[in-house]
Amino acid sequence: MKPVSSAQLRAITLLRWRLVVNSLRSVRGQLNLISRFLGGLLVLGMGVMGGAGLFIAGYWTTAHDPRWLALPFWIVFLFWQLFPVLASAFTQSIDADALLRFPMTYPTYFLVRVIYGTLDIPTALGLSWFFGLFLGISFADLRLAPWALLVIGLFAVFSILLGRMVFSWIEHWVSRRRSREVLGFLFLLVMVGFQVVGPLIGRHARNLNPQKLQALAKFFPVAQALPPGLAAASLTNAVQGRNGDALLGFLLLAGCAAAVAGVLHLRLHSQFRGDNPAGGEKRRAPQEKSTIRRGWRLPLFSGPVSAIFEKELRYLSRSGPMLFALIMPMIVVFVLWGGRRGFLGQQTAYALPLGAAYCLLVTANLVYNSFGADGGGIQFFICSPVSFRQIVVAKNLAHLAIVATEVFFLWLGVRVIYQPPAPAILALTVTWYLFAAPINFAAGDLLSLYSPKRIDYATFGRQRASAGTVLVSLSVEATVVAVGVLTTLLAVHDGNLWIAVLVLLGLSIPSIAGYFFLLSRIDRIALARREVLTTELCRA
């Protein structure tokens, strides 16, 4: 096997640097830089606070009770592995598949894939938190510093390799339709399980008894045999002077890291030899006889609008991650408030407007990058005798239909769990949507044309819009939600919620007018941006 080529690594590093520098020549690149800078400040703050907390935990456990050293390892481990799955807009993985077209050696390709996997938020936070834990252990007992550095460093390597291994195999499995459907169902069950576990833990924590503690203690040996427990056991034995046991725990942890690296090697080596999950399934041979089915026909709208509306809904119905995001508001109704005595306490009357605002938020990736899933199909839109106004209207109608369906089921859930919402609450929700939805769609249409980005529904971490689009979308969402909250608070202060309804109804007039004004100019904007659209969306 050829060794790692330092020249290739330097070339890849220079290439990534030039891509970043050249991207700053455009407004989109500058906006992405601002978004990444603000996100970096947020990550820095989380890293410092988490590192300080683990510094205290490491110092206290080392000085007083080393048996609790497993707790910080488990906290960081669970965050490191679960955050990439639960994170939303700021988790964007770098696509390293394009490197396969160049004459790279396999060791170089393996190393580059691992390095690319470390350029994310969980790795930055995990390393900063582990650094705080290392400082806490070292301050408590300076003699443990070298051993703590070895154990924590090895566990960090294990976490990085495990994350890359899991995501590489998930990408491979979701490239096949049947396995994608099974994994999507399992993923949905796991996510719902995580949402349900929180209220259950909170409920049982208030009613602890010796029997429950004894049942929980049965899981301790299992936790100690897993990698976080092995790392903590190695340090605990070192603190207590049992060097042989400490070395054994270190070697077992190294064996776990080697096993994970071996499984990752199987996937990456197969991909290096041509098995690319981004390529998807092989195209099936066309059937000899195929039935022609009549397309949908929307009342009051033209045929092209109806066809694009149907196409959008069919695209979304085949995307597991998007379907999961769209049904999350219904899950939130049953979980977030945890029953009549849940999170909102006596404010359950506002469950419907809060859930409706969340429904609009989860569609941001669709609305603000509406051409992303079309990919090379954007060329058919440009060449077809259909105006972009009709295309945009059809996409907005599809997104509006999705949001309306979500809000309807949300209303049913609130009605069943609590009580039917009051007429003022219903009017408040409807008028806020009349104000917020046109602004949301207008901003989304503009960003879809000015900052398009091709997305891949079948690959984890490649379903998000650009960083600049995420920044603008969050700003718009925060603004319309803040206006709704402010008007509601003022109306509650005056004791009449209908005041907020009238205010939002008045604000909806310029909002709707601005949306239709944008539609009148959307063809001119799309014509001026057609080269950018085809360049960004037709990339391989």
Side-chain angles (χ1 to χ4, degrees):
M1 181 179 295
K2 297 181 180 179
V4 176
S5 174
S6 58
Q8 290 178 341
L9 292 178
R10 288 195 300 269
I12 295 172
T13 304
L14 180 62
L15 174 63
R16 294 299 309 177
W17 172 251
R18 293 308 309 171
L19 287 174
V20 173
V21 173
N22 294 338
S23 67
L24 298 179
R25 298 176 181 177
S26 63
V27 177
R28 172 186 169 182
Q30 296 170 3
L31 193 61
N32 289 343
L33 180 64
I34 296 174
S35 176
R36 291 190 176 97
F37 176 75
L38 296 178
L41 292 180
L42 179 62
V43 172
L44 179 62
M46 294 176 61
V48 171
M49 290 188 295
L54 287 183
F55 172 85
I56 297 174
Y59 181 87
W60 185 89
T61 54
T62 304
H64 297 86
D65 194 350
R67 294 176 298 176
W68 288 96
L69 272 174
L71 182 60
F73 279 98
W74 273 107
I75 291 175
V76 179
F77 174 76
L78 293 176
F79 172 83
W80 204 326
Q81 303 305 321
L82 296 180
F83 181 83
V85 179
L86 303 177
S88 57
F90 291 103
T91 56
Q92 179 64 39
S93 63
I94 302 175
D95 186 6
D97 296 336
L99 297 174
L100 290 171
R101 68 187 68 175
F102 300 107
M104 297 177 60
T105 62
Y106 172 69
T108 304
Y109 176 71
F110 182 91
L111 183 60
V112 169
R113 286 297 300 265
V114 174
I115 293 176
Y116 271 23
T118 62
L119 302 178
D120 57 8
I121 294 176
T123 302
L125 291 177
L127 292 178
S128 62
W129 293 354
F130 272 142
F131 182 70
L133 179 63
F134 165 73
L135 291 180
I137 295 174
S138 301
F139 269 75
D141 191 346
L142 189 59
R143 296 172 298 177
L144 290 176
W147 189 251
L149 181 62
L150 287 175
V151 173
I152 294 176
L154 178 60
F155 188 73
V157 172
F158 165 79
S159 300
I160 293 173
L161 292 175
L162 180 63
R164 290 303 90 208
M165 184 268 289
V166 170
F167 266 75
S168 63
W169 279 99
I170 288 180
E171 286 182 358
H172 173 68
W173 289 328
V174 299
S175 65
R176 293 166 172 80
R177 181 175 180 180
R178 184 167 299 177
S179 60
R180 180 164 62 242
E181 293 172 351
V182 174
L183 282 177
F185 179 73
L186 294 177
F187 179 77
L188 175 62
L189 292 180
V190 171
M191 296 297 292
V192 174
F194 280 128
Q195 300 291 331
V196 175
V197 163
L200 290 178
I201 292 178
R203 181 174 301 177
H204 288 287
R206 294 190 295 266
N207 300 315
L208 285 178
N209 53 55
Q211 289 77 14
K212 292 182 179 180
L213 291 177
Q214 291 178 0
L216 185 62
K218 296 179 180 179
F219 293 96
F220 287 167
V222 178
Q224 291 177 353
L226 296 176
L230 293 175
S234 179
L235 288 176
T236 301
N237 290 324
V239 171
Q240 297 174 351
R242 297 195 293 266
N243 296 330
D245 294 338
L247 180 60
L248 178 61
F250 181 83
L251 294 178
L252 291 176
L253 180 61
C256 293
V260 170
V263 178
L264 177 62
H265 158 73
L266 294 177
R267 174 86 288 274
L268 293 186
H269 190 263
S270 177
Q271 188 172 341
F272 181 77
R273 300 185 65 179
D275 182 14
N276 190 352
E281 291 183 297
K282 296 181 179 179
R283 188 180 298 273
R284 297 181 179 180
Q287 299 178 356
E288 295 182 359
K289 295 181 180 180
S290 59
T291 58
I292 299 177
R293 293 177 297 179
R294 185 180 296 273
W296 298 355
R297 181 68 179 181
L298 297 180
L300 305 178
F301 292 98
S302 62
V305 173
S306 301
I308 298 172
F309 177 85
E310 179 183 0
K311 187 268 296 181
E312 289 294 314
L313 294 184
R314 291 191 182 276
Y315 271 30
L316 293 175
S317 65
R318 299 173 182 176
S319 172
M322 284 300 176
L323 288 177
F324 169 75
L326 296 178
I327 67 173
M328 274 304 296
M330 278 74 83
I331 299 175
V332 167
V333 174
F334 294 96
V335 175
L336 179 62
W337 299 292
R340 298 181 182 272
R341 298 180 180 179
F343 179 76
L344 290 180
Q346 300 299 322
Q347 306 300 324
T348 54
Y350 297 96
L352 178 61
L354 288 176
Y358 184 66
C359 289
L360 194 63
L361 177 63
V362 297
T363 58
N365 281 324
L366 299 175
V367 174
Y368 286 84
N369 190 29
S370 58
F371 296 103
D374 293 320
I378 190 66
Q379 301 173 89
F380 295 100
F381 283 151
I382 295 175
C383 298
S384 63
V386 179
S387 66
F388 256 82
R389 179 178 180 177
Q390 292 177 299
I391 297 172
V392 169
V393 167
K395 288 178 175 289
N396 291 160
L397 282 176
H399 301 156
L400 183 61
I402 293 172
V403 174
T405 304
E406 290 180 339
V407 175
F408 173 73
F409 283 105
L410 185 69
W411 172 77
L412 288 180
V414 172
R415 184 184 180 91
V416 171
I417 294 179
Y418 306 112
Q419 58 185 355
I425 295 295
L426 288 175
L428 176 68
T429 305
V430 172
T431 53
W432 181 81
Y433 259 92
L434 291 176
F435 160 70
I439 295 178
N440 211 44
F441 289 144
D445 295 339
L446 282 176
L447 286 175
S448 297
L449 295 174
Y450 279 95
S451 183
K453 182 179 182 297
R454 182 169 181 170
I455 57 178
D456 183 6
Y457 286 155
T459 307
F460 275 72
R462 297 177 198 162
Q463 303 153 7
R464 308 299 178 192
S466 62
T469 300
V470 170
L471 176 63
V472 175
S473 65
L474 290 179
S475 302
V476 174
E477 298 282 357
T479 300
V480 295
V481 170
V483 171
V485 171
L486 181 60
T487 54
T488 303
L489 290 177
L490 293 177
V492 171
H493 182 267
D494 291 337
N496 189 355
L497 201 59
W498 290 99
I499 297 177
V501 174
L502 294 176
V503 172
L504 290 175
L505 187 62
L507 292 176
S508 66
I509 297 176
S511 173
I512 297 174
Y515 173 73
F516 282 104
F517 176 77
L518 175 65
L519 285 182
S520 66
R521 295 176 175 267
I522 202 71
D523 288 296
R524 187 183 308 172
I525 298 174
L527 183 63
R529 301 289 299 176
R530 63 185 184 276
E531 293 184 1
V532 176
L533 285 171
T534 54
T535 300
E536 294 294 333
L537 298 178
C538 295
R539 288 181 175 180

